Amino acid sequence: KNEVEQSPQNLTAQEGEFITINCSYSVGISALHWLQQHPGGGIVSLFMLSSGKKKHGRLIATINIQEKHSSLHITASHPRDSAVYICAPSENEKLTFGTGTRLTIIP
Amino acid sequence: DVKVTQSSRYLVKRTGEKVFLECVQDMDHENMFWYRQDPGLGLRLIYFSYDVKMKEKGDIPEGYSVSREKKERFSLILESASTNQTSMYLCASYSGAYEETQYFGPGTRLLVL
């Protein structure tokens, strides 16, 4: 069993829809990262959270430490949100990565 | 803004060649990492370094070595490239401060023929 499971693996939605990507993990963590990877490879960190909820623009990330689960939400999705979203629990500086959720937003 | 740069975006090498991948960061970060990313497997840690001349093996160090002679530069070395090392290689750096995150380079796509 993978230490980090993301669902769904692929998601296609219409512009404007509310998007939820889920992440469950079995490793011990000090924090959890959500990363975004666009075609071409570059990875950008969206959030790092160790409890509760964080919001940045249209993006919201939540984490439930007891249940070992995190979610990434995108409100009012836009085609430029199309990317691979990667969940990565971390223990100190060491990250363990999920295989990612490929999100495609259709205009 | 933190900038992490990698020496090449694309690289084609032959089996048996020695390959150097270089990563430079400009934010005086203590910690630097080398990952490889393969379809269906996600990112996997090859090596990391938490200080100059210090290094630790990650999850898949076999076939690789690293060098950190200066704080800003972390090199990944493939001593004798093999076809199963064809992959996307990503470097990252991290200050270690609370609530800080890792910053990634643009990646090097390596093809070993």
Side-chain angles (χ1 to χ4, degrees):
Chain A
K1 189 181 189 307
N2 290 335
E3 294 178 307
V4 184
E5 298 269 3
Q6 287 187 235
S7 63
Q9 290 187 325
N10 294 283
L11 178 57
T12 300
Q14 293 286 334
E15 183 174 355
E17 284 190 46
F18 182 81
I19 303 298
T20 295
I21 299 170
N22 294 300
C23 174
S24 296
Y25 54 90
S26 57
V27 294
I29 71 166
S30 51
L32 185 137
H33 302 247
W34 280 101
L35 309 169
Q36 180 191 57
Q37 185 173 30
H38 279 285
I43 292 178
V44 173
S45 177
L46 298 174
F47 293 103
M48 186 174 99
L49 66 166
S50 51
S51 65
K53 176 177 166 178
K54 282 192 175 179
K55 185 175 189 290
H56 184 243
R58 294 180 295 105
L59 302 177
I60 303 165
T62 64
I63 188 167
N64 185 320
I65 298 289
Q66 287 74 29
E67 294 187 4
K68 297 197 169 189
H69 182 270
S70 177
S71 294
L72 176 69
H73 306 284
I74 305 175
T75 61
S77 59
H78 190 275
R80 65 174 174 266
D81 297 326
S82 297
V84 175
Y85 292 84
I86 302 168
C87 165
S90 66
E91 183 149 23
N92 299 316
E93 64 281 333
K94 192 179 172 195
L95 275 64
T96 303
F97 297 85
T99 53
T101 294
R102 185 174 299 277
L103 174 65
T104 303
I105 303 297
I106 299 170
Chain B
D1 277 353
V2 175
K3 187 170 277 185
V4 181
T5 56
Q6 294 183 227
S7 49
S8 306
R9 290 301 305 272
Y10 300 94
L11 212 49
V12 181
K13 295 291 180 182
R14 298 235 171 248
T15 302
E17 279 193 75
K18 191 168 186 175
V19 182
F20 292 87
L21 302 181
E22 285 216 317
C23 175
V24 178
Q25 50 95 3
D26 66 359
M27 281 301 290
D28 203 36
H29 283 174
E30 311 269 300
N31 305 284
M32 295 186 75
F33 306 80
W34 274 107
Y35 300 98
R36 66 177 280 177
Q37 184 179 30
D38 300 288
L41 296 177
L43 280 89
R44 293 178 291 167
L45 180 64
I46 305 171
Y47 267 97
F48 70 100
S49 168
Y50 50 89
D51 204 348
V52 175
K53 296 192 187 295
M54 307 301 282
K55 61 186 179 186
E56 288 218 9
K57 292 180 181 180
D59 300 318
I60 49 163
E62 297 79 19
Y64 303 95
S65 63
V66 290
S67 171
R68 187 136 180 233
E69 296 296 318
K70 293 185 177 182
K71 194 174 187 180
E72 67 270 19
R73 191 179 298 268
F74 191 34
S75 302
L76 180 70
I77 303 151
L78 287 66
E79 295 289 343
S80 177
S82 63
T83 55
N84 64 12
Q85 291 178 310
T86 291
S87 187
M88 168 73 101
Y89 290 88
L90 288 140
C91 172
S93 75
Y94 169 62
S95 68
Y98 178 68
E99 294 268 306
E100 256 296 350
T101 187
Q102 289 195 11
Y103 294 87
F104 287 83
T108 295
R109 198 171 288 280
L110 172 67
L111 173 62
V112 182
L113 300 172

